[in-house]
Amino acid sequence: MPEIARLQSVATAVPPHVIGQRDAAEAARGGFAARYDDFGRLARVFESSGIRKRHLVRPLDWYLAPLGWAERNAVYLEAAGALFHEAATRALEGAGLRAADVDTVVTVSSTGVATPSLDARAADQIGFRADLERVPVFGMGCAGGVSGMALGARLAVSRPGTNVLVVAVELCTTAFRLDKLTKENIVATALFADGAAACVLRAGGAGGIAAVEMAGQHTWPDTLDVMGWAVDDEGLGVIFDRAIPPFAEARLAPAIDAILGRGGLRRADVDRYACHPGGAKVITALERALSLEQGSLDHEREVLADYGNMSAPTVLFVLERVIAAGLPPRTLLTAMGPGFTASGVALRTAA
């Protein structure tokens, strides 16, 4: 019988600075309104976002000062490294492991550039072994948490008995841009936040929280413009060239059917979806696309309200809450990200 990867733990971490959504709206008004005639109309997204508060890696004043790419990335290296350490340590503790027990680490991040990668920078402090296999993953954006878990599961199966640590760290707020007077930049300012999440996977033996039953991706053709980063001297600039909620509502279900079908499953076999909560409208679109009762993605709305959209780690914040509430027999993690790509991982509760 082929080995299967089992999820051993999930943990999350957020930076110390917190901002309420009303305060964020006022700060954005002060930064944009006098220079952008359409700000008043677009500012309604702060109220309709479904967000109460968010966590930031720097105090609010830092974001209101002139910043270049070098300054932003320096903060990324420092703060992402700290969040990596915190999330990884908590996940290892949850799995009853030490850092020296980790054989492979998958590091997912798309909001800064780190060469050497974040795992290498954290290695000595956290206590990784010298023969650790490092697998940095860049460019998956919001789909990175699900795709990272899928990759980690495959690596675990390839070497049964080894421990695979997956860490997703995103500092979306380092890309806040006062110089970009665009609709997508205002929306990003209203939605994005910072955070990290980690999980441990191992193949061989029983136990754990759940078994990774199958995983897959679906990339739609001619969709490179849906989501991504533009890079200039000031830093990263968000690309939203199509409205994501109607795209998801119209096109997600066939993609999920295809992903599940490759594992011999159907949507009727899924007891609970754990979705990346990109925004309030995205959550509603997901419920419609997947033929769910409106309001059923309750943990997604709670995570969005408490943390905002942290990109890749966010779906693992949702999974953490689903686990705390009691995993049903089969849960499908799903997220969409640049490409434009849907990623899915099916979890079966451990026997």
Side-chain angles (χ1 to χ4, degrees), residues 10-198:
V10 176
T12 58
V14 290
H17 304 286
V18 182
I19 186 170
Q21 191 70 334
R22 290 185 179 179
D23 291 335
E26 284 304 309
R29 186 178 303 280
F32 291 111
R35 300 179 296 123
Y36 190 33
D37 292 340
D38 207 25
F39 178 80
R41 180 182 66 84
L42 294 175
R44 286 177 288 186
V45 69
F46 285 89
E47 298 178 6
S48 64
S49 65
I51 297 170
R52 289 191 297 265
K53 60 183 177 67
R54 290 177 277 168
H55 289 254
L56 319 176
V57 292
R58 285 292 182 268
L60 180 60
D61 288 348
W62 184 83
Y63 300 94
L64 303 178
L67 298 168
W69 170 240
E71 294 166 285
R72 296 175 192 273
N73 204 63
V75 168
Y76 169 82
L77 293 176
E78 175 192 337
L83 285 172
F84 178 101
H85 188 286
E86 184 175 354
T89 300
R90 289 179 179 176
L92 291 171
E93 289 174 351
L97 299 173
R98 302 167 301 135
D101 298 320
V102 176
D103 300 284
T104 304
V105 59
V106 176
T107 304
V108 177
S109 190
S110 299
T111 45
V113 176
T115 306
S117 54
L118 296 175
D119 40 62
R121 293 169 182 270
D124 290 342
Q125 182 183 16
I126 201 170
F128 289 141
R129 299 196 316 264
D131 63 348
L132 176 76
E133 182 177 5
R134 298 166 36 239
V135 186
V137 178
F138 180 87
M140 294 300 296
C142 296
V146 178
S147 297
M149 180 183 287
L151 176 58
R154 287 193 290 273
L155 291 169
V157 168
S158 73
R159 293 194 297 172
T162 61
N163 297 306
V164 179
L165 172 67
V166 179
V167 186
V169 185
E170 300 291 10
L171 270 57
C172 302
T173 69
T174 58
F176 285 172
R177 300 282 296 272
L178 288 176
D179 62 306
K180 292 283 187 181
L181 302 179
T182 62
K183 175 182 177 180
E184 57 265 32
N185 188 49
I186 301 300
V187 171
T189 304
L191 292 179
F192 286 126
D194 304 327

Side-chain angles (χ1 to χ4, degrees), residues 325-346:
L327 273 178
R330 181 177 285 116
T331 301
L332 184 72
L333 269 67
T334 183
M336 296 180 292
F340 193 62
T341 296
S343 294
V345 169

Side-chain angles (χ1 to χ4, degrees), residues 27 43 146 264 267 274 280 318:
V146 178
R267 273 186 283 155
V318 174

Side-chain angles (χ1 to χ4, degrees), residues 301-315:
R301 288 184 170 87
E302 292 169 3
V303 167
L304 181 67
D306 290 340
Y307 299 103
N309 183 343
M310 299 168 285
S311 190
T314 318
V315 71

